């Protein structure tokens, strides 16, 4: 920050006097008012001056330390300590900025030519200082706005700001499960938000203390692995462990290029770190390539342990490597965490036994469920009843597209999505499916996908047919972009009964200013985007809504969302800048990992 702008002075409302304030003490509102009300140029004479750049001595004078910019309702005044512009600058006060007479006198009398130059320099300096202060305030406003949005924060900063240190006073049921996990392999089954990760941290502390003792006795070093099912959870769980453990912790995911690392790279990481957080497939590949052996691991922690089935990496690690170690004393301890040990609609008891057998663990929960109920805050549950949904239908746009471009194979999924949207969301959202799919960026992705398919089938399809399909696709894009757009209406011809009920509930919550926040969970990321667009168009008085969707983007017209963008949305939601999120299933994992304020009066839909 420039030394002459360390302090800005604002006019007091009543007295009209100016009071100096350090810039860091000014709020964003102060700066905006300063820009629009106080940084206005004072009346000037018509004297022609080169105001683009003051003379060198003027610019040097403006950068002297200790200047305090004084800003009042008349414009930008001189600094408190006015630097000398040149010899005899004290004479400048004799001249009025808007006096043509003084300038004419200076022209008539050669002795006053130097004074005229000083006057011109003084006015040029004032003009330059005003422009300089305006630019400074503009930059400060941008910085403050970015800080409010969290744009300047790294992913780690965004997670750290939202993640409190969780180790403090463990509850009785957490200590109960921790004691059981010390003595046997356990799958801890607790509700979301009940503190399963805290139990894992307590167990890791215990294991790492033992590891340090073993190393001091000359035993081979072993490493703890905390395994998760998605990239987003790698960063979140790493942040939790890093804030609560004193030992060296590292995290890895496929986007870091781990597939191309040599054995020596892994050996260095295993040497330098005592805990590694990574997606399960990374550890599975390391074990397959003999970069690490199962007996070099002291504990395997499985987050969302119910995924351990069939050919999931969790299952492969156990079946291919854990069981292969015949000496049970060299096998690592296993600890699993899940809110639901069974995610299939089969026999619950049979599925639970299969999970226990797969992970060589015993499912455990608290013996006193009353303690758990008192410790976990639950929302009040209500059921929203809406009329029976219509059968999937066809809008006029759908019919036109089907008639003109129904034979384009790459659009088949878009046709299905649009037809399904007429039932679930309504006609307006169904047409928005085409708008999303045929945007310039989405259409370009479709063209590339079509070209890749054509390359694979080049022996069976002539080039002319491929060119014709590309031409048809571009024609379809132009047709959708030229289709007249309609604003959504709150009626059964435009929206589905379910969406109308959702809108009524949101309107009830946000009809007046409120601190309430809510999350609307949906099954598909495409639905989240459509609802986000719909409620942005409808507009509720106090609703500040955004979408929270996963990072994958396989569907036509879908968008790529980075993990950082997900965390920025959650950061803004936590700060109250957003008060409603529409979330798809993968993003649901991200949002539920940390306690979010959800309005208890909003029934789940």
């Amino acid at each position: 920050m420039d030394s002459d702008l360390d302090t800005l002075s604002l006019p007091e409302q009543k007295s009209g006097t100016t009071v100096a304030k350090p810039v860091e003490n000014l709020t964003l509102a102060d700066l905006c008012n300063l820009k629009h009300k106080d940084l206005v140029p004072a009346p000037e004479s018509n004297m022609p001056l080169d105001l683009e750049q003051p003379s060198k001595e003027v610019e040097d004078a403006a950068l002297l330390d200790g200047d305090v910019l004084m800003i009042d309702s008349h414009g930008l005044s001189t600094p408190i300590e006015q630097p000398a512009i040149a010899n005899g600058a004290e004479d400048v006060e004799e001249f009025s900025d808007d006096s043509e007479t003084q300038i004419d006198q200076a022209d008539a009398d050669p002795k006053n030519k130097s004074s005229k130059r000083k006057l011109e320099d003084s006015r040029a300096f004032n003009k330059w200082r005003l422009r300089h202060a305006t630019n400074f305030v503009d930059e400060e406003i941008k910085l403050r706005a970015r800080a409010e949005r969290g744009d300047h924060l790294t992913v780690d900063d965004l997670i750290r700001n939202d993640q409190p240190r969780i180790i403090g006073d463990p509850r009785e049921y957490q200590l109960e499960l921790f004691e059981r996990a010390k003595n046997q392999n356990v799958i801890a089954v607790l509700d979301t938000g009940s503190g399963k990760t805290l139990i894992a941290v307590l167990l890791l502390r215990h294991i790492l203390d033992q590891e340090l003792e073993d190393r001091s006795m000359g035993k081979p070093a072993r490493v703890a692995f905390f395994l998760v099912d998605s990239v987003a959870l790698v960063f979140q769980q790493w942040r939790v462990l890093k804030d609560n453990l004193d030992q060296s912790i590292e995290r890895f995911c496929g986007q870091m290029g781990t597939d191309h690392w040599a054995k020596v790279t892994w050996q260095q990481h295993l040497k330098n770190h005592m805990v590694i957080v990574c997606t399960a497939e990374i550890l599975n590949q390391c074990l397959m390539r003999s970069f690490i052996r199962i007996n070099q691991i002291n504990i395997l922690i499985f987050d969302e342990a119910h995924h351990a089935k069939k050919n999931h990496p969790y299952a492969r690690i156990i079946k291919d490597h854990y069981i292969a170690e015949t000496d049970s004393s060299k096998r690592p301890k296993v600890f699993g965490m899940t809110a639901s040990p069974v995610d299939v609609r089969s026999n619950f008891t049979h599925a639970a036994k299969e999970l226990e057998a797969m992970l060589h663990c015993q499912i455990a929960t608290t013996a006193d469920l009353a303690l758990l109920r008192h410790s976990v805050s639950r929302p009040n549950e209500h059921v929203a009843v809406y009329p029976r949904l219509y059968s999937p239908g066809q809008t006029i746009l759908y019919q036109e597209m089907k008639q003109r471009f129904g034979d384009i194979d790459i659009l088949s999924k878009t046709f299905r999505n649009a037809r399904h949207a007429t039932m679930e969301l309504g006609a307006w959202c169904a047409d928005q499916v085409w708008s999303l799919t045929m945007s310039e960026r989405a259409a370009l992705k479709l063209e590339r996908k079509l070209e890749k398919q054509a390359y694979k089938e080049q022996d069976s399809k002539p080039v002319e047919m491929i060119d014709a399909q590309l031409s048809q696709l571009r024609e379809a894009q132009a047709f959708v972009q030229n289709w007249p757009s309609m604003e959504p209406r709150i009626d059964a011809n435009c929206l589905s009964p379910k969406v109308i009920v959702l809108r009524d509930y949101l309107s009830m919550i946000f009809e007046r200013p409120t601190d309430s926040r809510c999350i609307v969970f949906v099954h598909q990321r495409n639905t989240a985007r459509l609802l986000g667009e719909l409620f942005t168009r409808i507009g509720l008085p106090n609703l500040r809504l955004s979408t929270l969707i996963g990072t994958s983007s396989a569907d036509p017209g879908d968008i790529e969302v980075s993990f950082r963008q997900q965390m920025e949305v959650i950061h803004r939601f936590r700060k109250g800048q957003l008060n409603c999120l529409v979330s798809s299933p993968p993003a649901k994992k991200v949002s539920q990992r940390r306690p979010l304020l959800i309005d208890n009066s909003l029934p789940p839909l």
Side-chain angles (χ1 to χ4, degrees):
M1 187 180 296
D2 293 335
S3 59
D4 60 326
L5 293 175
D6 284 348
T7 307
L8 293 174
S9 295
L10 296 175
E12 286 189 336
Q13 295 293 331
K14 296 181 180 179
S15 63
T17 60
T18 52
V19 177
K21 279 188 178 182
V23 174
E24 59 269 17
N25 289 351
L26 298 179
T27 66
L28 183 58
D30 287 336
L31 290 167
C32 290
N33 289 333
L34 188 66
K35 172 179 171 60
H36 296 295
K37 293 170 57 178
D38 299 310
L39 282 180
V40 293
E44 298 185 58
S45 70
N46 296 323
M47 184 174 67
L49 293 173
D50 181 11
L51 301 180
E52 289 302 315
Q53 184 65 39
S55 61
K56 184 65 170 63
E57 59 269 24
V58 173
E59 185 171 341
D60 290 341
L63 297 178
L64 291 177
D65 291 337
D67 283 1
V68 178
L69 277 171
M70 303 298 293
I71 300 169
D72 55 27
S73 59
H74 301 293
L76 190 67
S77 69
T78 58
I80 291 177
E81 296 180 8
Q82 173 69 39
I85 298 174
N87 292 332
E90 61 275 5
D91 298 333
V92 173
E93 296 297 332
E94 299 175 6
F95 294 90
S96 171
D97 283 349
D98 56 354
S99 174
E100 294 290 344
T101 305
Q102 289 175 317
I103 297 173
D104 293 338
Q105 291 174 351
D107 287 334
D109 188 352
K111 295 181 180 180
N112 289 334
K113 286 187 178 180
S114 69
S115 297
K116 176 187 175 184
R117 182 179 63 81
K118 297 169 192 173
L119 175 64
E120 291 174 349
D121 278 346
S122 178
R123 295 186 61 200
F125 167 64
N126 286 336
K127 182 71 174 180
W128 174 85
R129 185 177 52 194
L130 173 63
R131 186 172 66 251
H132 190 52
T134 303
N135 292 339
F136 170 78
V137 172
D138 282 339
E139 288 301 316
E140 191 68 20
I141 289 175
K142 291 178 183 177
L143 289 173
R144 298 291 180 87
R146 287 182 61 202
E148 288 288 328
R149 296 192 304 267
D151 292 352
H152 69 297
L153 301 176
T154 65
V155 171
D156 288 346
D157 290 335
L158 290 169
I159 297 176
R160 184 187 299 111
N161 287 351
D162 292 339
Q163 182 63 61
R165 292 183 64 88
I166 63 171
I167 296 298
D169 186 16
R171 299 185 177 100
E172 187 174 334
Y173 68 86
Q174 293 169 326
L175 292 173
E176 173 193 347
L177 290 175
F178 164 58
E179 292 297 330
R180 293 185 63 176
K182 287 199 300 183
N183 301 319
Q184 64 182 108
N185 292 345
V186 164
I187 301 172
V189 178
L190 293 172
D191 287 342
T192 299
S194 58
K196 296 185 292 294
T197 306
L198 186 147
I199 303 172
V201 171
L202 292 173
L203 186 58
L204 273 171
R205 283 185 173 180
H206 171 71
I207 294 294
L208 295 178
D209 286 344
Q210 287 185 336
E211 176 65 23
L212 291 174
E213 290 182 11
D214 291 344
R215 293 186 183 187
S216 66
M217 297 169 59
K219 294 183 179 180
R222 305 174 83 190
V223 179
F225 273 85
F226 194 117
L227 305 178
V228 297
D229 187 48
S230 66
V231 173
L233 297 182
V234 169
F235 290 88
Q236 290 188 32
Q237 299 293 40
W238 170 80
R239 185 73 256 170
V240 173
L241 300 186
K242 191 172 181 63
D243 283 346
N244 291 281
L245 297 175
D246 297 327
Q247 288 75 20
S248 177
I249 304 168
E250 189 53 276
R251 80 282 198 203
F252 301 118
C253 58
Q255 285 83 340
M256 301 169 73
T258 54
D259 291 344
H260 306 292
W261 290 358
K263 184 175 182 177
V264 63
T265 304
W266 280 109
Q267 288 176 336
Q268 192 65 31
H269 283 302
L270 296 175
K271 178 181 177 181
N272 294 337
H273 308 294
M274 295 189 70
V275 182
I276 291 177
V277 184
C278 64
T279 52
E281 182 58 27
I282 288 180
L283 177 59
N284 186 39
Q285 291 295 324
C286 285
L287 291 167
M288 288 176 58
R289 299 176 184 179
S290 298
F291 291 168
I292 184 174
R293 300 186 304 276
I294 199 72
N295 59 15
Q296 293 178 283
I297 302 172
N298 51 33
I299 184 171
L300 288 170
I301 298 178
F302 294 95
D303 193 16
E304 306 288 347
H306 56 270
H307 292 302
K309 56 188 177 182
K310 297 181 180 178
N311 284 322
H312 190 278
Y314 284 178
R316 293 260 59 94
I317 290 170
I318 297 295
K319 290 190 290 188
D320 297 345
H321 308 287
Y322 182 87
I323 297 176
E325 177 55 69
T326 56
D327 187 348
S328 60
S329 65
K330 295 182 179 180
R331 290 177 178 175
K333 177 177 283 296
V334 177
F335 178 71
M337 302 183 296
T338 181
S340 174
V342 178
D343 62 352
V344 295
R345 295 179 180 179
S346 58
N347 182 276
F348 182 90
T349 303
H350 177 71
K353 288 182 177 179
E354 283 189 341
L355 181 62
E356 287 181 325
M358 173 64 71
L359 292 180
H360 292 250
C361 290
Q362 181 178 351
I363 291 176
T365 190
T366 178
D368 189 352
L369 294 177
L371 286 175
L372 184 60
R373 283 193 293 268
H374 288 303
S375 301
V376 179
S377 176
R378 287 182 173 276
N380 298 324
E381 294 188 6
H382 303 271
V383 177
V385 180
Y386 52 85
R388 183 183 296 274
L389 297 176
Y390 311 122
S391 299
Q394 299 179 2
T395 64
I396 297 176
L397 176 58
Y398 179 97
Q399 294 171 1
E400 291 288 339
M401 292 293 294
K402 190 69 174 177
Q403 180 180 354
R404 297 168 182 261
F405 312 106
D407 57 342
I408 302 179
D409 294 338
I410 202 169
L411 294 181
S412 59
K413 190 169 185 178
T414 307
F415 279 107
R416 291 196 301 270
N417 290 342
R419 185 176 172 84
H420 182 72
T422 58
M423 177 183 71
E424 291 288 335
L425 305 176
W428 186 87
C429 290
D431 285 349
Q432 286 298 305
V433 171
W434 292 107
S435 297
L436 295 177
T437 305
M438 290 299 167
S439 65
E440 290 188 11
R441 186 171 181 177
L444 183 60
K445 289 176 63 176
L446 284 175
E447 287 186 21
R448 290 174 178 172
K449 185 176 180 179
L450 183 60
E451 289 171 349
K452 288 180 180 179
Q453 290 180 354
Y455 180 77
K456 294 178 181 179
E457 302 171 358
Q458 57 183 340
D459 294 335
S460 58
K461 284 188 178 181
V463 176
E464 292 77 10
M465 183 180 297
I466 298 170
D467 290 339
Q469 287 182 335
L470 285 172
S471 177
Q472 270 191 309
L473 188 59
R474 296 187 184 105
E475 186 180 343
Q477 179 190 6
F479 184 82
V480 171
Q481 291 179 347
N482 293 327
W483 187 263
S485 60
M486 303 289 290
E487 289 300 314
R489 304 182 311 277
I490 314 300
D491 59 50
N493 294 324
C494 189
L495 305 177
S496 73
K498 181 161 60 173
V499 172
I500 291 176
V501 170
L502 173 62
R503 186 260 178 191
D504 291 342
Y505 271 82
L506 293 179
S507 179
M508 177 179 65
I509 300 302
F510 298 108
E511 64 183 354
R512 59 181 62 88
T514 177
D515 292 330
S516 297
R517 278 168 268 180
C518 72
I519 305 177
V520 179
F521 292 112
V522 298
H523 287 294
Q524 300 176 359
R525 52 189 287 129
N526 192 50
T527 303
R529 291 186 65 199
L530 292 171
L531 287 178
E533 182 68 21
L534 171 66
F535 285 107
T536 299
R537 298 284 191 93
I538 291 177
L540 295 175
N542 300 291
L543 179 67
R544 302 182 297 277
L545 180 143
S546 184
T547 57
L548 183 63
I549 58 179
T551 55
S552 61
S553 56
D555 287 349
D558 211 341
I559 58 174
E560 296 180 358
V561 178
S562 67
F563 178 58
R564 175 189 171 80
Q565 289 172 314
Q566 288 182 334
M567 297 312 303
E568 285 177 348
V569 170
I570 293 177
H571 177 76
R572 294 174 62 198
F573 184 74
R574 285 178 157 276
K575 294 191 69 174
Q577 297 168 2
L578 300 171
N579 56 17
C580 184
L581 298 181
V582 184
S583 176
S584 63
K588 178 179 178 181
K589 295 180 181 180
V590 179
S591 62
Q592 286 188 335
R593 301 304 296 195
R594 296 197 289 279
L596 297 175
L597 295 175
I598 302 178
D599 180 28
N600 288 341
S601 62
L602 181 66
L605 297 175

